[in-house]
Amino acid sequence: MKFSCYLVFTITLLLVVTGCTSKEKQDVDINNAEIIFGKWDLDYQGAVGDTYPINLIFISKISDGLEVDSIKFPNHSNLKVDSIELKQGDLMDDGRTLYNLTLNTTAVESGEYSTKNIDVSFKNGISKSYAIGNLHWDISKSKPSEELVPDKGYVAMYPNLEKYTINLVNYSKYDMEIKGIITDNQNLKLTDILVNGENISESGHISPGQHAEINAKITTDDQQYQFYSISPRVIYTMHDETKESILPASIYGLMSITSETVKKMIESK
């Protein structure tokens, strides 16, 4: 069963979810309610003040009256949740309901942050901690180099873990040599990297103003996660100096939530 959503990721994330019905609110016993979150292998690279949206997918036997008051990241007071939006989605065959919890997060100080749990406070005053996989932020004080950047904006939302692709342009006045593209995800890597259709070791050179199409395969160590966010870092040299550019995040898995995805969520609780 497919989760009814269409997503576009630029700086913000637009989410439209269908399958919701309006009902009267009722008291919900959170303490005895089974709530299972999908697991993320999420990596965000950026600067202080940037907004980092996160879509947290979960299932519950609660079909009505579930309301979230606030969310915190344990031991990371410098990560702020600016907004919360809870959307009710499809009813699964086993009677569970699929939900989407959208957060806009901001880092107020530079640093590297990781967490495997989130603390959720519900409207009825009960707070609980939930396993969420692995969320990772690497936040710098200032914006990274814009010498090698996506061409004409950037939109990346992939249904499956099959490929990574992006078009870049050298906006500097100098030649550059791409040496590699890496991610800081827990178990996702980019392999077989091609630059303009050729192996990166043979075609990494980009002249000023030149465009470069990057394609890569994705490999994972295991399938313990259902959703992925990657912020690749392009390593390049210019004037014998090694530099890097942070590419916008790409999201995997949110466009193809099926009954199999839900099954894996339940099994990984």
Side-chain angles (χ1 to χ4, degrees):
M1 181 178 296
K2 207 168 184 180
F3 188 50
S4 303
C5 57
Y6 301 88
L7 305 100
V8 176
F9 185 84
T10 50
I11 298 176
T12 61
L13 197 66
L14 174 64
L15 174 70
V16 178
V17 179
T18 61
C20 300
T21 57
S22 60
K23 300 179 182 179
E24 294 183 0
K25 295 290 187 301
Q26 60 184 13
D27 291 334
V28 176
D29 186 359
I30 299 297
N31 283 323
N32 295 317
E34 183 184 47
I35 296 176
I36 303 172
F37 278 83
K39 305 305 184 293
W40 277 92
D41 183 8
L42 180 148
D43 175 55
Y44 271 138
Q45 306 276 333
V48 170
D50 289 345
T51 298
Y52 306 93
I54 308 174
N55 281 69
L56 303 178
I57 306 298
F58 69 91
I59 60 171
S60 176
K61 292 180 179 179
I62 299 173
S63 60
D64 185 50
L66 189 63
E67 295 182 282
V68 174
D69 183 57
S70 64
I71 291 178
K72 294 182 179 180
F73 301 103
N75 304 316
H76 294 314
S77 59
N78 291 326
L79 290 172
K80 303 297 184 183
V81 177
D82 299 321
S83 64
I84 300 172
E85 184 177 14
L86 179 64
K87 291 288 187 179
Q88 183 178 332
D90 290 341
L91 179 67
M92 300 290 102
D93 293 337
D94 63 357
R96 303 172 196 259
T97 299
L98 192 63
Y99 288 87
N100 182 89
L101 183 61
T102 305
L103 313 179
N104 279 322
T105 64
T106 303
V108 297
E109 290 187 14
S110 61
E112 188 169 359
Y113 311 100
S114 293
T115 184
K116 297 182 182 298
N117 298 85
I118 57 169
D119 294 336
V120 182
S121 295
F122 296 91
K123 291 287 187 180
N124 62 2
I126 294 176
S127 297
K128 298 192 74 172
S129 180
Y130 296 97
I132 197 63
N134 186 69
L135 308 183
H136 172 258
W137 295 260
D138 193 349
I139 309 300
S140 61
K141 293 182 179 179
S142 58
K143 300 287 185 181
S145 167
E146 294 187 352
E147 297 169 329
L148 184 63
V149 298
D151 184 25
K152 297 179 181 178
Y154 186 71
V155 175
M157 183 71 65
Y158 300 88
N160 302 306
L161 287 170
E162 295 177 351
K163 64 178 182 177
Y164 176 81
T165 182
I166 190 171
N167 289 298
L168 303 176
V169 61
N170 179 359
Y171 276 135
S172 77
K173 299 179 180 179
Y174 308 101
D175 290 343
M176 62 176 57
E177 192 80 22
I178 298 180
K179 295 299 184 180
I181 303 177
I182 60 177
T183 74
D184 287 333
N185 290 73
Q186 192 170 57
N187 75 333
L188 182 149
K189 303 294 182 234
L190 300 179
T191 62
D192 300 331
I193 299 172
L194 302 178
V195 179
N196 292 329
E198 298 183 15
N199 188 283
I200 191 171
S201 62
E202 302 172 354
S203 182
H205 178 269
I206 306 179
S207 302
Q210 182 183 355
H211 293 246
E213 181 181 281
I214 308 295
N215 287 283
K217 292 182 181 179
I218 289 178
T219 60
T220 57
D221 294 335
D222 54 55
Q223 292 295 322
Q224 64 175 305
Y225 303 105
Q226 293 82 51
F227 310 107
Y228 295 81
S229 174
I230 67 174
S231 299
R233 293 186 288 131
V234 182
I235 311 301
Y236 63 95
T237 57
M238 181 186 296
H239 292 308
D240 296 324
E241 181 182 358
T242 300
K243 298 185 175 184
E244 66 178 47
S245 285
I246 307 298
L247 301 182
S250 293
I251 309 296
Y252 291 82
L254 285 178
M255 294 180 67
S256 58
I257 300 176
T258 63
S259 296
E260 183 63 26
T261 305
V262 173
K263 180 181 178 181
K264 289 181 178 179
M265 288 168 57
I266 297 171
E267 292 174 347
S268 65
K269 67 178 179 178

